[in-house]
């Protein structure tokens, strides 16, 4: 593996993005994982942001590692105290994917929440909740965006990309961050006031999974299907040999048959 991701980088300037955040900003040079920090923090105001230059133990979905080298990307977690039912938490993940996709022109969303440029992933989202019985204490939405990453390990080279690799230009991370935060809080306001309806419609238009042949993987068993839509609850609707089924993102992993998406 070649690793030429730069050791020297310009640190984030908090003053350039703090006004986009309705809550507090918790900035770290190095941290285990911004999601872990947010989940176990006390007395955090709603809509606060945890953000780090580097994560030593960045976490992805399904227990995977999320590589988070210093200065290459946006590694952040938005802390929310939403008045919603546990069943609606997954809608916040879809909302976050849409916010990032709005901010990155030309991107699409692989259901439920990978943001892609072409066939490669530029952003991943990990949503976690802390609940007491069925009462939600907080939901943390972790967003990792590969901004200026120059190289990926061999096993990711066909699947992952960065804004730099796609455009050939180094980006100011704050510019991307401000756009994402602006879109996220706008969509979140819309969600809390009007529900999921408008987000659902826009999400469907951005979702590159719908209409594709996919491989469903549940407990190591693979099933071929065609993604035909999404329910108003955010589950994927698939067709398996002429029979419609509803797929929940927590239970089943979805892969494209051709390439990553
Ligand atoms: C995935 O696609 O598997 C989800 C990746 C989520 C990565 C982000 S980076 C900021 C936040 N902190 C973490 O440990 N993970 C999320």
């Amino acid at each position: 593996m070649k690793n030429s991701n730069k050791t020297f980088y310009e640190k984030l300037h908090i003053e350039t993005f703090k006004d986009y955040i309705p809550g507090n900003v918790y900035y770290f040079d190095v941290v285990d994982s911004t999601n872990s920090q947010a989940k176990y923090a006390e007395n955090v105001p709603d809509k606060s942001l945890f953000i780090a230059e580097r994560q030593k133990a960045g976490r992805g979905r399904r227990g995977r590692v999320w590589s988070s080298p210093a200065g290459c990307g946006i590694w952040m977690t938005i802390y929310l105290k939403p008045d919603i039912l546990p069943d609606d938490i997954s809608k916040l993940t879809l909302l976050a994917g849409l916010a990032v996709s709005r901010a990155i022109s030309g991107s699409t969303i692989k259901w439920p929440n990978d943001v892609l440029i072409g066939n490669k992933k530029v952003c991943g989202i990990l949503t976690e909740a802390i609940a007491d019985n069925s009462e939600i204490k907080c939901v943390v939405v972790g967003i990792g965006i590969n901004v200026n990453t120059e190289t990926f390990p061999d096993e990711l080279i066909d699947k992952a990309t960065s804004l730099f690799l796609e455009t050939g230009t180094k980006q100011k991370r704050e510019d991307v961050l401000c756009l994402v935060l602006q879109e996220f809080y706008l969509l979140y306001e819309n969600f809390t006031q009007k529900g999921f309806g408008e987000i659902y419609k826009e999400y469907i238009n951005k979702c590159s999974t719908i209409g594709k042949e996919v491989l469903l993987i549940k407990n190591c068993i693979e099933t071929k299907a065609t993604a035909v839509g999404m329910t108003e609850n955010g589950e994927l609707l698939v067709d398996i040999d002429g029979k419609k089924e509803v797929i929940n993102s927590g239970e089943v992993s979805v892969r494209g048959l051709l390439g990553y998406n």
Side-chain angles (χ1 to χ4, degrees):
M1 180 195 120
K2 197 171 91 202
N3 186 356
S4 66
N5 288 314
K6 290 233 167 28
T7 322
F8 298 104
Y9 59 93
E10 186 154 354
K11 292 201 173 174
L12 289 163
H13 298 100
I14 301 176
E15 66 284 359
T16 59
F17 59 86
K18 69 173 186 348
D19 291 346
Y20 289 84
I21 300 149
N24 289 348
V25 180
Y26 302 91
Y27 168 84
F28 306 86
D29 211 6
V30 185
V31 79
D32 51 353
S33 146
T34 53
N35 264 36
S36 305
Q37 291 292 324
K39 253 166 84 176
Y40 301 113
E42 298 285 345
N43 303 319
V44 178
D46 190 19
K47 302 177 195 167
S48 290
L49 182 82
F50 290 71
I51 187 159
E53 300 289 355
R54 173 163 83 91
Q55 296 185 118
K56 287 187 292 187
R59 295 186 286 110
R61 295 178 73 224
R62 302 181 193 287
R64 294 189 195 110
V65 169
W66 182 264
S67 163
S68 323
C72 290
I74 295 171
W75 323 127
M76 70 174 177
T77 300
I78 300 173
Y79 179 101
L80 302 170
K81 290 180 174 171
D83 185 14
I84 55 171
L85 296 168
D87 277 356
D88 288 331
I89 293 172
S90 57
K91 292 177 184 161
L92 293 176
T93 308
L94 302 175
L95 181 160
L98 182 58
V100 176
S101 182
R102 274 185 177 186
I104 300 178
S105 70
S107 65
T108 61
I109 310 168
K110 173 181 176 280
W111 182 90
N113 54 8
D114 289 345
V115 179
L116 310 180
I117 301 181
N119 267 342
K120 294 183 178 179
K121 176 163 166 174
V122 68
C123 162
I125 294 166
L126 175 67
T127 301
E128 300 177 286
I130 300 238
D132 228 349
N133 296 317
S134 63
E135 195 188 320
I136 296 168
K137 183 181 160 264
C138 70
V139 175
V140 300
V141 182
I143 302 177
I145 307 175
N146 302 322
V147 180
N148 288 326
T149 319
E150 293 176 6
T151 55
F152 288 96
D154 292 344
E155 65 277 15
L156 289 182
I157 233 133
D158 292 336
K159 297 181 185 156
T161 193
S162 70
L163 297 179
F164 166 69
L165 290 173
E166 293 300 320
T167 59
T169 311
K170 288 284 167 108
Q171 314 277 322
K172 265 192 104 176
R173 285 181 298 153
E174 287 92 339
D175 291 348
V176 182
L177 176 59
C178 290
L179 275 176
V180 173
L181 292 172
Q182 201 172 7
E183 296 297 355
F184 182 91
Y185 290 116
L186 266 176
L187 286 168
Y188 186 64
E189 219 44 48
N190 183 299
F191 175 67
T192 51
Q193 284 170 19
K194 300 190 193 162
F196 191 55
E198 288 178 18
I199 295 164
Y200 167 78
K201 282 190 198 133
E202 190 179 337
Y203 182 98
I204 296 242
N205 283 326
K206 288 245 174 193
C207 180
S208 53
T209 312
I210 298 171
K212 292 233 165 71
E213 300 288 305
V214 293
L215 204 55
L216 309 175
I217 306 159
K218 184 176 183 180
N219 302 328
C220 298
I221 298 170
E222 298 186 349
T223 312
K224 276 188 190 170
T226 308
V228 290
M230 188 175 82
T231 69
E232 290 192 13
N233 278 329
E235 300 123 333
L236 190 68
L237 256 179
V238 297
D239 183 306
I240 305 175
D241 295 331
K243 205 169 143 248
K244 297 269 184 310
E245 283 202 25
V246 168
I247 303 296
N248 181 300
S249 62
E251 295 163 4
V252 182
S253 155
V254 177
R255 269 202 220 135
L257 282 185
L258 300 168
Y260 181 68
N261 84 349

